[in-house]
Amino acid sequence: MIGPILRSMRPRQWSKNVFVLAPLVFAQKFRDPSAILVALSAFAAFSLMASGVYLVNDSMDYEEDRKHPQKKNRPIAAGLLRVPHALGLAVLLFASSIGLSWTIGPRFLMTLGVYLVMNLAYSSGLKRIVILDVMMIAAGFVIRVIAGAVALNVPMSDWLFICTTMVALFLAFTKRR
């Protein structure tokens, strides 16, 4: 049972959360142990939240996923993890992420909340609207960088915002191509 649960949490996708660490580098705080701890906590909070979102998304799409050549092997679509269990685990992951976020600060928690609401809206149907699909994928990367800056209480430069947006749009369009 642990294998399907872990696969459904998609730990390989946590690499996207490295964007949360960008302000640590660009604010030159990568030698400050307390800043590193905060940044890693922000990374963990986003990873927990993202895993919960994946579980909700897969629970909503399992019937469609069963017809897809690759997605049919996802644990929920394959029947290895039941939807009620997946949704229960998602709630636990959301609660853990929110608890960890609270220790970072209320502004970080609000930023993570925006990420959650955006992704739940995406899973609920916005992913089926072509241009919104790409924009929301890109916004997820930008929100991660903003959250990293908020967590560290450092300003985010216009250049970091613009460059992140451009890289995020490139990644999103490439994914959908």
Side-chain angles (χ1 to χ4, degrees):
M1 183 68 147
I2 296 297
I5 290 172
L6 194 57
R7 278 197 356 244
S8 291
M9 291 173 60
R10 300 191 204 169
R12 288 182 292 122
Q13 298 292 334
W14 294 351
S15 61
K16 296 174 186 173
N17 298 324
V18 168
F19 277 71
V20 172
L21 305 177
L24 180 71
V25 174
F26 287 99
Q28 298 180 3
K29 295 208 172 241
F30 51 87
R31 290 191 178 127
D32 178 352
S34 63
I36 293 169
L37 182 60
V38 168
L40 290 175
S41 296
F43 175 87
F46 261 87
S47 297
L48 291 168
M49 185 64 72
S51 287
V53 167
Y54 287 131
L55 286 162
V56 169
N57 184 60
D58 288 354
S59 294
M60 294 173 79
D61 291 348
Y62 77 95
E63 288 187 22
E64 289 175 37
D65 289 351
R66 285 182 176 161
K67 300 170 191 167
H68 191 275
Q70 282 92 28
K71 293 179 182 181
K72 70 180 180 184
N73 296 319
R74 289 180 178 170
I76 297 171
L80 301 174
L81 180 61
R82 293 181 52 225
V83 170
H85 294 136
L87 293 175
L89 179 58
V91 169
L92 287 174
L93 291 167
F94 291 153
S96 299
S97 178
I98 289 167
L100 181 56
S101 297
W102 183 253
T103 67
I104 296 169
R107 288 179 51 224
F108 177 79
L109 179 59
M110 280 184 10
T111 308
L112 191 73
V114 168
Y115 174 84
L116 174 60
V117 169
M118 184 185 77
N119 275 284
L120 292 177
Y122 177 83
S123 293
S124 296
L126 293 181
K127 64 184 169 187
R128 289 173 179 78
I129 302 171
V130 176
I131 202 69
L132 274 181
D133 170 51
V134 172
M135 293 301 169
M136 292 190 75
I137 291 169
F141 287 103
V142 175
I143 288 171
R144 286 173 174 95
V145 175
I146 292 169
V150 166
L152 293 171
N153 199 27
V154 297
M156 185 168 153
S157 73
D158 294 339
W159 284 109
L160 180 57
F161 180 80
I162 291 167
C163 290
T164 301
T165 301
M166 293 299 130
V167 167
L169 284 168
F170 172 76
L171 292 171
F173 278 115
T174 302
K175 180 179 179 180
R176 288 301 174 233
R177 184 180 179 276

